[in-house]
Amino acid sequence: LGVSTEQVDAYTRRTLKRSLLTSGLIIVFLIIVLYMGFKIIVMRRIERLQSGLQHVAEGALGLEERIPEYSRDEIGALTASFNDMVERLTNSISEKDASAKKLADQTEALKNLRDEAVQANRHKSEFLANMSHELRTPLNSLLVLSQELSANRDKNLTDDQLQSANIIYNSGQDLLNLINDILDLAKIEAG
């Protein structure tokens, strides 16, 4: 054949070097392709999830938005957990808003009741002031007349009539004292 073993060894070494270099380049190319595929498939999903988390943290994400779930792997499970968290957050915010509205309604109702109580107290004070004058004036006249009847025994009054005049006078004094106590109490309440 005319080819020496040295030539065959050199040719084999060159071919082996070329094959190793070509295989190495193919392996590096495959690694780059796999990395890019990994980045496209996995990293973009992770970046979407990270972006959604950042939006929720900043309060910018509309709580009706959800991150789409593309797979049933760990990232899909993480995305599902994120969407569930956003759903619970939405429910919590709705409950808080409902509680705040209920509290505002109750506060308004209490304010209205307080205003009504203040107005009723003012009307009571006005009523007592008016009734004081309206009750005292005729009562004082009645007391003066019954006292004069009791004092003038020579007016031809019978004993029963004098006793009735004394009863009228004593009852009128009791009533006047009661009216004065009520008015004093109203003054104390008014400060």
Side-chain angles (χ1 to χ4, degrees):
L1 282 162
V3 179
S4 70
T5 51
E6 294 169 354
Q7 288 177 333
V8 170
D9 285 342
Y11 177 74
T12 305
R13 276 189 221 123
R14 274 188 312 218
T15 305
L16 186 58
K17 282 182 186 178
R18 276 189 224 146
S19 296
L20 286 176
L21 183 60
T22 304
S23 298
L25 288 175
I26 289 173
I27 289 172
V28 168
F29 177 74
L30 285 176
I31 289 173
I32 291 171
V33 167
L34 286 175
Y35 172 75
M36 296 303 286
F38 175 78
K39 184 172 182 173
I40 289 171
I41 293 171
V42 175
M43 293 304 291
R44 283 192 183 166
R45 291 170 44 207
I46 291 174
E47 288 170 358
R48 268 194 302 261
L49 187 58
Q50 181 182 11
S51 173
L53 288 170
Q54 185 175 1
H55 282 99
V56 168
E58 294 171 355
L61 180 67
L63 292 178
E64 64 279 350
E65 292 183 38
R66 300 295 183 268
I67 297 174
E69 299 174 35
Y70 290 111
S71 64
R72 295 183 181 220
D73 60 2
E74 290 83 5
I75 295 174
L78 186 60
T79 302
S81 294
F82 171 80
N83 288 337
D84 184 52
M85 178 196 66
V86 170
E87 184 69 31
R88 283 183 281 144
L89 183 61
T90 301
N91 292 339
S92 176
I93 289 172
S94 296
E95 289 172 7
K96 180 190 74 95
D97 290 345
S99 294
K101 182 175 179 357
K102 183 178 177 182
L103 181 62
D105 291 345
Q106 288 175 342
T107 302
E108 185 66 26
L110 286 174
K111 181 182 174 192
N112 290 340
L113 286 173
R114 184 202 65 201
D115 291 345
E116 288 175 12
V118 166
Q119 186 176 6
N121 191 35
R122 191 180 77 245
H123 289 306
K124 178 196 72 160
S125 297
E126 289 174 6
F127 173 77
L128 288 175
N130 289 336
M131 290 309 294
S132 165
H133 176 69
E134 297 299 323
L135 290 175
R136 279 184 174 174
T137 303
L139 188 58
N140 283 331
S141 298
L142 196 78
L143 287 173
V144 168
L145 289 175
S146 62
Q147 190 176 20
E148 281 196 24
L149 281 175
S150 297
N152 292 328
R153 293 182 184 235
D154 48 336
K155 291 257 183 184
N156 297 332
L157 294 178
T158 66
D159 286 337
D160 285 340
Q161 291 172 334
L162 284 174
Q163 187 179 1
S164 295
N166 283 333
I167 290 173
I168 292 171
Y169 178 77
N170 291 333
S171 297
Q173 282 291 52
D174 291 342
L175 188 58
L176 185 61
N177 289 335
L178 182 63
I179 291 170
N180 287 334
D181 289 345
I182 290 172
L183 291 174
D184 289 343
L185 184 63
K187 288 177 185 176
I188 290 171
E189 287 179 356

